[in-house]
Amino acid sequence: MDAKITFTVNGRERTVTTDPARPLLDVLREDLGLTGTKYGCGEARCGACTVLINGQRAQSCTTPVANVQGKTVVTIEGLAVGDALHPIQESFLAEGAFQCGYCTPGMIMATAALLNEAPKPTDAQVRQALEPNLCRCCGYPKILKAVHTAAARMGR
Ligand code: FES
Ligand code: FES
């Protein structure tokens, strides 16, 4: 049976009436038009669907939308402020840290969660934090560099 679920997405309160077991990813993409969050595997194994829920990284493909009732969700669309890209986005651009770009929104959201907790992460911390996120183009060295560049920009 459908239920009304209210949560904040990228600073705006949204209410959806839907099956509470539906994946958050589907609600974001299909109901709210936030297609920056990607579908990769659908089973919590690739990180393409990574978003922040109350500031913590989460894989939206396996998060029932009912779980975000009353919570705050941030997607890739919520990072930029107007025309100004977020420093993490700028850093991925500056370092050329993508090829096809399919993994990039998830990588950037995972980086946002990491830098919230560890503003100056070591290589090992970055590798551990991004380990759930796969890049089928194998752009890992540049992604690692972009995370450090973002940390430096955000620390200024
Ligand atoms: S689509 Fe969610 S982890 Fe792969
Ligand atoms: S840039 Fe293609 S999957 Fe990562």
Side-chain angles (χ1 to χ4, degrees):
M1 195 170 69
D2 284 357
K4 247 187 194 177
I5 294 153
T6 299
F7 56 110
T8 300
V9 186
N10 300 335
R12 185 172 159 204
E13 188 173 280
R14 308 296 295 257
T15 297
V16 293
T17 301
T18 189
D19 177 350
R22 245 176 108 208
L24 173 62
L25 175 63
D26 291 358
V27 172
L28 292 171
R29 291 180 56 85
E30 295 164 13
D31 298 16
L32 303 181
L34 296 168
T35 55
T37 306
K38 303 302 181 196
Y39 177 91
C41 63
E43 50 187 29
R45 288 174 183 238
C46 77
C49 64
T50 303
V51 298
L52 303 184
I53 299 176
N54 284 357
Q56 303 289 311
R57 64 177 293 158
Q59 291 176 331
S60 60
C61 67
T62 51
T63 301
V65 67
N67 286 19
V68 299
Q69 166 65 42
K71 294 183 180 169
T72 297
V73 176
V74 179
T75 70
I76 189 72
E77 290 91 344
L79 288 189
V81 179
D83 289 338
L85 291 178
H86 187 282
I88 300 173
Q89 294 171 306
E90 284 179 343
S91 300
F92 271 67
L93 265 179
E95 302 297 349
F98 47 82
Q99 292 181 45
C100 77
Y102 200 83
C103 71
T104 309
M107 289 287 184
I108 287 176
M109 298 313 292
T111 300
L114 168 66
L115 297 183
N116 278 343
E117 291 181 5
K120 296 276 177 214
T122 61
D123 279 0
Q125 284 176 305
V126 175
R127 287 199 176 96
Q128 186 179 23
L130 298 190
E131 195 271 334
N133 291 63
L134 303 182
C135 175
R136 62 188 173 185
C137 303
C138 288
Y140 298 110
K142 288 187 174 180
I143 291 168
L144 178 65
K145 194 150 186 266
V147 175
H148 287 306
T149 300
R153 285 180 187 225
M154 292 168 71
R156 274 181 207 155

